[in-house]
Amino acid sequence: SRFVGINASDINYSAGRYDASVKPPFDIGFEGVGEVVALGLSASADYTVGQAVAYLKAGSFAEYTVVPAKQAVPLPSVKPEFLTLMVSGATAYISLKELGELSEGKKVLVTAAAGGTGQFAVQLAKAAKCHVIGTCSSDEKGGFLKSIGCDRTINYKTENVESVLRKDYPEGVDIVYESVGGKMFDLALNSLATKGRLIVIGFIAGYQNPTGLQPIKAELLPAKLLKKSASVRGFFLNHYLSEYKMALKHLLKMYQKGDLVCEVDCGDMSPEGKFTGLESVFRAVDYMYMGKNIGKIVVELPHSVNSKL
């Protein structure tokens, strides 16, 4: 593997929240991009040694990974940009397509919009001719969001998200792509328009808590949804793997045509510099939880000099 991707859910997975039956020690990480170094018999029909591939596999934080041939995704080259599409891009694409019901002129609110998956929700909603509002935590992130077509950026550290939405979008927003949770979830729920849809793709605000969830004011949920004929929809990529290849093909095509920005953050601006080697994974995860990244966090694995293969 040459590049591995960092995901907010890495913490949930390593805390044993996704699969309680797995007992430590177990391998973590969900995705990687690298070159084929060896082939099983059946795989040699479709792949060659040295070929660039991406893969989705639990246990991807590793220098060498055994991947079933049918799960590998052939790539034009080994680039971290391709890695951004594997989990983050696919999550945005499939959830918006299956659950978002995007159509021209709809107002879409994306929380953590400058993050690994938020960047794709913004661009895909724009491609569907929607009006996109993105929340973020710095003016630098706001500048990045404007550069990828975001119509209105809200820096929640300096602006009050609730009052901005109430003032500028009195009718509410039609679709929310929500990955923050906690107070942001409540706020997003309250700003839904009639027949609005809130897609839950995560709740990073709660991942570092021992229990994993910050309480939300959910007891009012039935009344709030009824009053607006609104809905809250959960999205977990593993339940949509039938759509996965199609989504990835579409995203790769968009990227290669220049219609999609795949922003990668390799930690160059982090206190200890670039994320290189598996030992920097924990720094990369910390960097994400401090809300510092712009785009998808990627860790580079240097070519192993003393390869055992």
Side-chain angles (χ1 to χ4, degrees), residues 166-223:
R166 203 177 298 139
K167 185 167 121 339
D168 294 355
Y169 304 94
E171 301 288 297
V173 295
D174 303 297
I175 296 111
V176 184
Y177 185 85
E178 215 297 271
S179 62
V180 176
K183 292 190 178 76
M184 191 63 91
F185 175 91
D186 285 326
L187 199 150
L189 180 67
N190 292 339
S191 25
L192 282 177
T194 302
K195 296 185 186 173
R197 299 173 285 291
L198 192 161
I199 305 173
V200 176
I201 67 127
F203 36 93
I204 194 168
Y207 291 170
Q208 288 176 302
N209 294 4
T211 55
L213 267 173
Q214 283 192 335
I216 50 164
K217 301 190 175 80
E219 63 275 14
L220 303 170
L221 193 62

Side-chain angles (χ1 to χ4, degrees), residues 35-209:
E35 294 110 357
V36 175
V37 287
L39 291 164
L41 279 178
S42 60
S44 50
D46 302 311
Y47 294 94
T48 53
V49 168
Q51 185 173 356
V53 289
Y55 48 90
L56 258 197
K57 189 169 191 285
S60 292
F61 292 159
E63 287 161 341
Y64 296 97
T65 309
V66 177
V67 180
K70 61 175 186 295
Q71 286 175 21
V73 179
L75 295 175
S77 61
V78 176
K79 279 172 73 174
E81 282 74 13
F82 292 125
L83 189 54
T84 65
L85 303 176
M86 298 299 293
V87 171
S88 302
T91 294
Y93 184 90
I94 300 171
S95 64
L96 290 173
K97 181 175 175 286
E98 297 292 316
L99 307 177
E101 297 167 32
L102 299 183
S103 57
E104 188 170 348
K106 292 278 186 242
K107 295 180 190 72
V108 180
L109 171 66
V110 180
T111 64
T117 187
Q119 63 171 331
F120 294 111
V122 167
Q123 294 178 82
L124 293 168
K126 283 305 292 176
K129 299 187 166 63
C130 297
H131 175 94
V132 183
I133 309 135
T135 72
C136 62
S137 60
S138 73
D139 290 343
E140 193 192 353
K141 291 184 180 191
F144 165 66
L145 288 173
K146 289 201 173 74
S147 78
I148 58 171
C150 195
D151 297 287
R152 173 72 162 93
T153 61
I154 308 173
N155 177 347
Y156 64 80
K157 296 257 168 98
T158 57
E159 295 177 88
N160 181 309
V161 181
E162 201 167 4
S163 45
V164 169
L165 290 172
R166 203 177 298 139
K167 185 167 121 339
D168 294 355
Y169 304 94
E171 301 288 297
V173 295
D174 303 297
I175 296 111
V176 184
Y177 185 85
E178 215 297 271
S179 62
V180 176
K183 292 190 178 76
M184 191 63 91
F185 175 91
D186 285 326
L187 199 150
L189 180 67
N190 292 339
S191 25
L192 282 177
T194 302
K195 296 185 186 173
R197 299 173 285 291
L198 192 161
I199 305 173
V200 176
I201 67 127
F203 36 93
I204 194 168
Y207 291 170
Q208 288 176 302
N209 294 4

